[in-house]
Amino acid sequence: KQEVTQIPAALSVPEGENLVLNCSFTDSAIYNLQWFRQDPGKGLTSLLLIQSSQREQTSGRLNASLDKSSGRSTLYIAASQPGDSATYLCAVVQGAQKLVFGQGTRLTINP
Amino acid sequence: NAGVTQTPKFQVLKTGQSMTLQCAQDMNHNSMYWYRQDPGMGLRLIYYSASEGTTDKGEVPNGYNVSRLNKREFSLRLESAAPSQTSVYFCASTQGRRGHSTDTQYFGPGTRLTVL
């Protein structure tokens, strides 16, 4: 059974810092890995999707990497801003496009 | 283009009552999903519909039923609600093209359900 773990569970950093969120998964047989953002009381917004054949994807200040062989992904946020405060979730996709989620990292950027 | 919509936004039920959560998408997606989100547990898949006319169980299907009414709509029914079903429920959809691993899932805003 696929298990997805995110460390740390919570992170608080001052504005302007670069930071890394971690995601690990136990079964490397995945189609892709997605990073989502969730604001309090809201739904999920897709940030980046990395196909299993790719090593990384970039969108603006966000960069996600994928190492399937080691079962790891990282989300790098450059020059963090208070608006980046949210919970970040990673999820791996297996058969029938079913997502298996990690528990999330709650990020707080302090002005 | 509203994306994925869910109704109701909030609901309080008494133990044993029944209700149906509604979900609709206007993106012409093939696949639709129901998840629940509980503190410390992340999101877990309840049921999914890979295409119109098909439904399958996910990780936590007990106590739920689903109906894929048409390509747009996918409903989740609680026949006899229990306090353990207190949660936030999310519907999602994706293009779901066979052999395509690049399809992003789009989520609705959620339904916050409390069972007393």
Side-chain angles (χ1 to χ4, degrees):
Chain A
K1 177 186 172 187
Q2 178 75 266
E3 292 184 3
V4 180
T5 303
Q6 290 186 246
I7 296 173
L11 181 64
S12 180
V13 301
E15 180 178 1
E17 281 201 4
N18 303 323
L19 58 98
V20 174
L21 307 181
N22 296 294
C23 173
S24 62
F25 48 95
T26 55
D27 184 352
S28 62
I30 64 172
Y31 287 104
N32 64 51
L33 183 144
Q34 297 182 35
W35 282 93
F36 293 87
R37 170 185 173 136
Q38 185 176 28
D39 293 290
K42 305 291 186 183
L44 280 69
T45 301
S46 179
L47 296 173
L48 289 165
L49 182 151
I50 311 176
Q51 297 182 56
S52 62
S53 59
Q54 295 177 320
R55 297 286 297 195
E56 65 179 299
Q57 278 286 350
T58 298
S59 176
R61 295 182 294 107
L62 305 179
N63 176 276
S65 68
L66 174 63
D67 183 343
K68 261 185 51 174
S69 60
S70 67
R72 295 180 186 275
S73 176
T74 62
L75 179 67
Y76 175 83
I77 302 176
S80 59
Q81 302 170 359
D84 294 330
S85 297
T87 295
Y88 291 80
L89 296 137
C90 75
V92 297
V93 176
Q94 297 188 288
Q97 300 259 357
K98 294 184 289 184
L99 288 173
V100 179
F101 281 88
Q103 295 178 352
T105 294
R106 188 172 68 254
L107 176 64
T108 302
I109 307 298
N110 301 304
Chain B
N1 188 336
V4 180
T5 57
Q6 293 182 235
T7 56
K9 287 186 169 50
F10 301 92
Q11 184 71 49
V12 178
L13 293 177
K14 294 181 180 177
T15 297
Q17 288 185 317
S18 62
M19 78 160 295
T20 300
L21 282 64
Q22 306 286 354
C23 173
Q25 51 88 11
D26 61 2
M27 296 174 281
N28 201 35
H29 284 171
N30 293 310
S31 302
M32 298 184 73
Y33 306 81
W34 278 105
Y35 297 90
R36 61 178 287 173
Q37 185 175 33
D38 302 293
M41 300 291 292
L43 279 86
R44 293 178 292 169
L45 183 64
I46 305 171
Y47 270 94
Y48 67 100
S49 171
S51 61
E52 187 179 357
T54 69
T55 60
D56 285 287
K57 295 178 181 179
E59 182 184 354
V60 289
N62 291 344
Y64 305 95
N65 285 301
V66 291
S67 295
R68 183 73 182 268
L69 304 171
N70 47 56
K71 192 171 185 179
R72 288 188 63 250
E73 299 171 289
F74 189 38
S75 63
L76 178 72
R77 183 161 178 83
L78 287 70
E79 290 291 352
S80 179
S84 61
Q85 294 178 304
T86 293
S87 188
V88 181
Y89 292 85
F90 288 101
C91 177
S93 71
T94 188
Q95 188 64 257
R97 296 165 292 176
R98 186 181 294 277
H100 285 255
S101 64
T102 58
D103 293 338
T104 298
Q105 287 202 11
Y106 296 86
F107 282 75
T111 294
R112 283 146 188 80
L113 175 67
T114 300
V115 182
L116 302 175

